[in-house]
Amino acid sequence: MKVDQLSIFLENRAGRLAEVTRILSEAGVNIRALSLADTSDFGILRLIVSDFETAKTKLKDAGFTVGRTSVVAVEVTDEPGGLNNILAMLQEAGINVEYMYAFVQQSGNSAVLIFRFDRTDQGIELLQKNGITTIPGDKLYSM
């Protein structure tokens, strides 16, 4: 029940993330889940994609350092304590969670992604000017 995760090492500079998504888009590869961790100099982009081998090949051909990691997709009950039940079970067995991130279930044809911008207000303004829907916190919490 393992899942192949793509790990991509990126310089922390403008445009690198867009370059990855452009390459995947042009190759017809859909991003199903992602996590981005960074330092001041570099980041690690972790992806679950629709076609692992194509994504890996296209990104390597473009000069990216790419790795494969086996991860596990776990269905968690969407109720208070759902995640805690699983984490407590793992803790009791002495199994450490090195990292985790959400795989957002699809709602219609849209998914909700959470972004952090270095200039939040300007980011929101830009998105709204371009017809991109932003969701206020109170609506997000009740989805």
Side-chain angles (χ1 to χ4, degrees):
M1 298 312 264
K2 294 178 185 174
V3 177
D4 285 331
Q5 171 192 270
L6 200 58
S7 297
I8 306 148
F9 299 90
L10 302 172
E11 298 89 2
N12 194 354
R13 64 178 170 84
R16 287 301 273 173
L17 187 56
E19 190 176 351
V20 169
T21 59
R22 178 189 56 76
I23 290 166
L24 296 178
S25 175
E26 289 174 356
V29 175
N30 192 21
I31 298 170
R32 302 297 300 144
L34 66 85
S35 170
L36 179 61
D38 70 329
T39 67
S40 59
D41 297 325
F42 70 94
I44 300 173
L45 177 61
R46 295 176 171 114
L47 301 175
I48 306 297
V49 295
S50 61
D51 184 342
F52 180 89
E53 291 301 327
T54 297
K56 183 177 98 175
T57 300
K58 294 293 185 180
L59 290 167
K60 278 190 169 192
D61 289 349
F64 287 94
T65 301
V66 179
R68 177 192 311 253
T69 307
S70 292
V71 295
V72 179
V74 178
E75 191 170 293
V76 179
T77 306
D78 187 12
E79 63 186 24
L83 177 58
N84 182 63
N85 292 337
I86 291 170
L87 293 175
M89 183 186 324
L90 294 167
Q91 178 187 17
E92 190 174 309
I95 298 171
N96 183 42
V97 177
E98 292 181 356
Y99 60 83
M100 61 185 209
Y101 52 93
F103 183 105
V104 179
Q105 296 233 355
Q106 197 168 352
S107 174
N109 289 326
S110 297
V112 177
L113 296 176
I114 307 301
F115 290 89
R116 178 183 163 141
F117 301 115
D118 60 351
R119 293 174 298 159
T120 303
D121 293 335
Q122 292 89 344
I124 292 168
E125 183 179 303
L126 176 67
L127 292 170
Q128 290 175 339
K129 276 185 186 175
N130 285 280
I132 306 297
T133 302
T134 57
I135 303 168
D138 58 345
K139 279 193 173 181
L140 185 65
Y141 304 140
S142 63
M143 291 181 91

